[in-house]
Amino acid sequence: MTRVSLLFGTSVWLVSGHAEVRQVLSAKEAFSNELTRLQHISPALPDQALGGLGMCDPPLHTRVRQMLAPEFTARGLRRLEPVIRNVVAEQLDIMSAAPQPVDLVRTFAWPVPARTICELLGVPAADLDAFRQLSTRRFDIVAGLDAQLGAVSSAQLRLERLIADERRNPGSGLLGTLVTRGADLDDRTLAGLADGVLTGGLETSAGMITLGTLLLLRDPVARERATDGRTVGALTEELLRHLSVVQVAFPRYALTDVEIGGHRVSKGDVVLCSLLRANRHTGAEAAATMTGTGGARGDRRHVAFGHGAHRCLGAELARMELRIAYQALFERYPRMRLAIDEHEIPFHGLAMVYGLQRLPVDLGLRDS
């Protein structure tokens, strides 16, 4: 527990311990996720709720999560598995046909989750590129809060138009489900929920695919685990823990005085939880390195997907995407290697979601 700043009279705490982060994220009665409660910190913050599960409190949060949850269970996602496998295979074919080297970000890491999430939601493929650009902009801290919130607003407006279309003719995707099950909710609220699903499954999964691939290119033993259906699940969990591409959870606003890790957090304080630090704070022998141990399912005690009531609803979808993507990529291209020196790889600068701007790779096709 560290007091990191004082903004406009508000104390801001950074929580980095594994147990302390889990305590904060599970204390839904003590903390609020409503961004509008922080408006006194910055006039750029909206005076209306942005929507999305990550930024709303009960009872709305409870209701909409129950409304969406059946679509994200293992059973509900079963229909998407062949879709993901087909998308992955098509993108691998595109990579093979492209001039070498190829950019893994542009040809694989982004298209796989983007096409999957659009299939899930029922978002037209024509809107895919626009949502991709808006997703990247909203997590770019360098661009500033106004630019980030502008990207959120633009995505919201696009989704409101799609929601309006769905009300007239509901489809079989999640957008159609939202307007059917949430007929009494306004377009803005439903668009906010769809926006949370859309952006939550884009930048994060793309970052995991690229960074995970980079680590596997460094480690031949781990690469073998990726191509084995018995071990790729555990490897994926370890990559999720080790990389923690979502660096910090949504800010929490203290609704009451509460003790966290022996420190008194006062009503009105803002609490930030470092998911990355928490995932390397367990005292495990190799907490700061990738181990890949933990049985067939891997150790799922990490907080890469958050914890508590606001734990990422799409966690099982992300796991499925990553397992399929890693295994298929290294089965198809066992001789794949970096096409540039590692120190030349362009990482994102200040961004809430960690990742790479590009990852040029040589697929090793000439060696086949």
Side-chain angles (χ1 to χ4, degrees):
M1 290 287 295
T2 307
R3 194 189 302 270
V4 292
S5 61
L6 191 68
L7 294 176
F8 300 97
T10 300
S11 293
V12 180
W13 294 87
L14 178 67
V15 186
S16 59
H18 187 261
E20 291 82 359
V21 163
R22 288 171 68 93
Q23 182 184 351
V24 171
L25 298 185
S26 62
K28 61 181 180 180
E29 292 82 11
F31 294 99
S32 168
N33 279 44
E34 291 279 5
L35 193 62
T36 53
R37 294 181 184 273
L38 309 182
Q39 196 177 24
H40 61 287
I41 291 179
S42 171
L45 291 173
D47 57 5
Q48 291 181 299
L50 287 174
L53 281 172
M55 295 181 183
C56 69
D57 295 336
L60 177 61
H61 175 268
T62 306
R63 181 198 168 182
V64 296
R65 190 169 178 105
Q66 290 174 345
M67 188 168 71
L68 291 171
E71 308 300 318
F72 290 92
T73 62
R75 182 178 179 181
L77 292 171
R78 200 169 296 150
R79 72 173 184 87
L80 276 181
E81 182 170 352
V83 172
I84 297 170
R85 292 191 182 280
N86 184 60
V87 167
V88 166
E90 289 181 357
Q91 292 305 138
L92 293 176
D93 288 342
I94 289 171
M95 291 169 66
S96 293
Q100 302 296 304
V102 297
D103 176 13
L104 191 82
V105 174
R106 183 178 60 83
T107 60
F108 189 73
W110 257 101
V112 168
R115 292 177 60 186
T116 299
I117 209 73
C118 284
E119 173 71 21
L120 172 68
L121 282 167
V123 170
D127 291 332
L128 196 58
D129 192 56
F131 280 119
R132 170 185 171 171
Q133 293 178 36
L134 292 170
S135 177
T136 299
R137 280 167 47 196
R138 75 168 57 200
F139 294 118
D140 185 0
I141 297 174
V142 176
L145 186 58
D146 285 342
Q148 289 179 279
L149 292 175
V152 173
S153 179
S154 296
Q156 177 94 12
L157 289 173
R158 279 181 169 271
L159 285 165
E160 285 181 32
R161 290 195 290 269
L162 292 175
I163 290 289
D165 291 341
E166 291 286 335
R167 286 197 189 278
R168 291 188 289 270
N169 184 26
S172 59
L174 191 56
L175 291 181
T177 300
L178 284 171
V179 300
T180 301
R181 296 179 183 170
D184 60 317
L185 299 175
D186 60 34
D187 288 3
R188 180 183 178 86
T189 300
L190 293 179
L193 297 175
D195 180 60
V197 173
L198 183 68
T199 57
L202 288 179
E203 195 82 22
T204 51
S205 292
M208 274 301 305
I209 290 173
T210 46
L211 288 168
T213 299
L214 178 59
L215 287 183
L216 294 174
L217 287 173
R218 293 175 179 168
D219 189 337
V221 175
R223 198 156 59 241
E224 285 186 20
R225 294 172 62 82
T227 58
D228 187 335
R230 297 167 300 179
T231 55
V232 67
L235 175 67
T236 298
E237 292 303 320
E238 181 60 6
L239 287 168
L240 284 163
R241 179 200 70 82
H242 180 66
L243 293 169
S244 301
V245 295
V246 179
Q247 309 269 286
V248 180
F250 285 117
R252 262 60 174 180
Y253 181 90
L255 298 174
T256 185
D257 294 350
V258 60
E259 183 173 306
I260 304 291
H263 294 266
R264 178 188 175 89
V265 175
S266 300
K267 179 180 179 180
D269 287 356
V270 175
V271 178
L272 301 173
C273 291
S274 172
L275 303 181
L276 173 64
R277 188 68 186 92
N279 277 339
R280 300 187 178 195
H281 195 263
T282 60
E285 200 171 298
T289 60
M290 189 177 72
T291 64
T293 59
R297 283 167 52 87
D299 190 337
R300 296 191 172 201
R301 290 174 297 176
H302 61 75
V303 290
F305 293 115
H307 181 65
H310 282 277
R311 181 180 177 275
C312 176
L313 187 62
E316 293 309 314
L317 174 59
R319 285 181 164 116
M320 183 188 297
E321 283 180 344
L322 294 171
R323 289 195 303 267
I324 293 171
Y326 292 140
Q327 186 171 1
L329 182 65
F330 285 97
E331 282 180 344
R332 181 76 170 265
Y333 307 122
R335 297 181 180 85
M336 182 170 59
R337 56 184 177 269
L338 289 177
I340 59 175
D341 290 337
E342 192 163 327
H343 72 273
E344 296 175 333
I345 296 173
F347 288 77
H348 288 318
L350 285 174
M352 292 175 64
V353 179
Y354 193 38
L356 306 177
Q357 297 174 27
R358 293 182 300 109
L359 185 62
V361 293
D362 187 312
L363 302 179
L365 300 177
R366 291 183 298 272
D367 300 333
S368 301

